[in-house]
Amino acid sequence: MSLIADVHLTASRRLTSLRVPPTVAVSFVIIALVIAWSLAPGLFTSLSPVNGIPADKLLAPGTAHWFGTDHLGRDLYTRVVYGTASSVTSALIAVVIAAVTGGLIGLLSGFFGGWVDIVFARLVDVLLAIPHFLLAVIVVTAIGFDTTNAAIATGVSAVAVFARVMRSEVIKIRQATFVESSFLLGGSRWHILLRHVLPNASRSLLPLAVLQFGLSILVIASLAFLGYGDPPPASDWGLLISIGKDYLKWPWLVYAPAFLTIATVLSVNRISRWLRKTD
Amino acid sequence: MSGPYLRYAAKRLVQALAVILLAYVFTFVVVSILPGDPITNVLRDPQNGFTEDEIRQIIAAQGLDQPILVQLWTSLSHFLTGDLGLSVRSSRPVTTLIAEVLPSTLVLASSAFAVALLLAATIAYGTQFLPKRFGQGLLRGFPSLFLSVPNFVIGLVLIHVFGFQLGLFRVIAPNSFWATFFAAIALGIPISAQIAEVLIANLDHESGQDYAAVARGRGLGQFRLFAMHLLKPSSLPVVTIVALTIGELLGGSLITETVFGRTGIGSLVQRSVSTQDLPVLQAVVSLAAVVFVLVNLIADLVYPLLDPRVKLVGGPKHRPTTADDSSAGTPQAVTS
């Protein structure tokens, strides 16, 4: 009897814990749309992102052109949809670089301590001391201007944050009872590191990675805005805004891509906050 | 000034110096070892019209024919004596180039800093006085909204609305009062969000403490509770966060200066990036690191004096292993 009640209780608790606040649900819908755009832009628009109709240039947003048209008569909505893939992929590249490199540094320095820790801690201090946007700028200058390199630079500039969080997480877990018992049962250092510490510590990187995804979109957009990404006719969101700034008399050229960038980053941040709370 | 404090101060000072030196080396490695040879590429660009002889002279003057470690050593020792080398492009001392544009950036950065502090305080303290149902949620949403907007977009919107629509300032006069004012707002808004988030979290934490409940039980109104009890303990820890935002201020000025067409460190960096003027980049990045490290050093040294609850950790023998302790031995408030 009590067993059934228990089962019932845990089941219902699991359901309530899965209940998603409305703002988070909206965020997921926006992110789903953005992902769909980046996977299959052709499904959402039948126009060309590169070739425009010069007669239709600089039209205001309306039913024919949702976001209006640009100075070459290209449909802005189409440009935004086709630019999504590049913006999303580059942010993903940045997050993967930051999370893997930073995570590894944090894992090793937290787990082994001693000299490893001291060396990595200084490296992290240095990375933190250089303003991260400036760091991204010099890295992209050194490796060349295109969107993938901008993504790599953004990733490098975020390594330190992940290293810090991972290190403190690893130190916390290293002192846990189950790690001690695994050690007493004869588990080797590598076994403990890979089987116990890594999986547990990586969990806390998830909300951070999601947050960093949003931040990376902003940093990559800023790099594209300064002209350090792919040149036109690419249509990364930052580049679209950058082109739009020269046509401020037709403000939708700035507002439409900016609105999408903001909506995406806001959604990502909301999801990250929700993940941190439910964890 | 007690013994532990002096030991802590000495340790932080040594650490700060080490980080500055390492930051210089790191930047040097990034700009000089990565693939390609941008300096000679730019020099050989026929558009620049240097003869082979002049190129050889420039290379020798810059010491680019030396082994990389020798180059690092000379440039590091020059850096320590305050000599930042010559610009590849204009052959003028980098220190002069920086000194020319620094005042403009300082004006922008300090006004943006003031905007950020004011805005953060308004948002965070405002949450204490608005009813939960009406307005407070909105106010609490501001920081995450601010953090989701690229700061060049804020700048462009301000230029569009206040410059073009309302005609408050002319875009072609970027150093006028109103143009500087709006540039400072564009730069300050994302920074205010970070400070406001921490302030709000601290206020929530403090108002949940027992002493706050006791004060409420004694019949203290919201305003007096805030002014007499919550304000100080929730605002003091922000000192260290504020110091951390100095980097954002420097990085953000790069974009804001471009958007508003101001000359400054940001536009200097932009120009040096497009001409691959590495000595200038190296100097700006190292100086940014120096500023960041010094500001944080001051914050870390002053903070324990401001807040008596702080326990100094990170002595030479006793290596702290608490999870939330950073390796830099930052002061931590013990409130439990």
Side-chain angles (χ1 to χ4, degrees), chain A residues 41 44 50 73 83 85-86 93 110 113 145 169 204-205 213 219 223 252:
Chain A
F44 294 90
V50 184
S86 165
I93 295 175
F145 300 151
E169 238 2 80
S204 68
L205 287 192
F213 180 76
V219 175
L223 290 171
W252 57 87

Side-chain angles (χ1 to χ4, degrees), chain B residues 217-241:
Chain B
R218 266 170 47 217
L220 228 60
Q222 183 64 33
F223 179 74
R224 299 185 67 185
L225 173 71
F226 168 75
M228 292 164 65
H229 294 287
L230 302 181
L231 180 62
K232 202 174 159 194
S234 58
S235 308
L236 270 185
V238 173
V239 169
T240 44
I241 302 295

Side-chain angles (χ1 to χ4, degrees), chain A residues 176-276:
Chain A
T177 328
F178 66 87
V179 171
E180 203 178 328
S181 54
S182 171
F183 181 68
L184 290 174
L185 284 168
S188 71
R189 269 151 83 102
W190 286 105
H191 170 76
I192 294 172
L193 183 70
L194 296 177
R195 185 76 186 81
H196 297 296
V197 176
L198 180 62
N200 281 295
S202 328
R203 277 188 41 162
S204 68
L205 287 192
L206 181 66
L208 187 63
V210 175
L211 189 72
Q212 187 60 45
F213 180 76
L215 250 174
S216 300
I217 291 181
L218 293 183
V219 175
I220 293 168
S222 302
L223 290 171
F225 179 80
L226 293 178
Y228 304 155
D230 283 345
S235 58
D236 296 61
W237 294 345
L239 184 65
L240 286 178
I241 300 172
S242 172
I243 297 170
K245 79 169 190 296
D246 300 330
Y247 300 88
L248 268 184
K249 248 175 135 179
W250 300 274
W252 57 87
L253 291 176
V254 166
Y255 287 128
F259 174 74
L260 268 167
T261 312
I262 296 167
T264 308
V265 178
L266 205 56
S267 307
V268 167
N269 289 353
R270 184 69 191 90
I271 292 171
S272 162
R273 212 168 274 244
W274 176 71
L275 281 175
R276 229 178 321 166

Side-chain angles (χ1 to χ4, degrees), chain A residues 132 168 228 255 266 269 273, chain B residues 147-148 160 197 248 270 321 323:
Chain A
H132 75 264
S168 69
Y228 304 155
Y255 287 128
L266 205 56
N269 289 353
R273 212 168 274 244
Chain B
L147 282 179
S148 308
H160 177 238
E197 275 197 330
E248 308 280 315
Q270 263 252 301
T321 43

Side-chain angles (χ1 to χ4, degrees), chain B residues 3-13 297 299-304 312-314 328-331:
Chain B
Y5 178 78
L6 287 180
R7 216 173 317 136
Y8 162 77
K11 194 180 149 121
R12 277 299 277 114
L13 195 68
L297 176 69
D300 281 358
L301 290 185
V302 167
Y303 187 54
L312 296 173
V313 289
T330 36

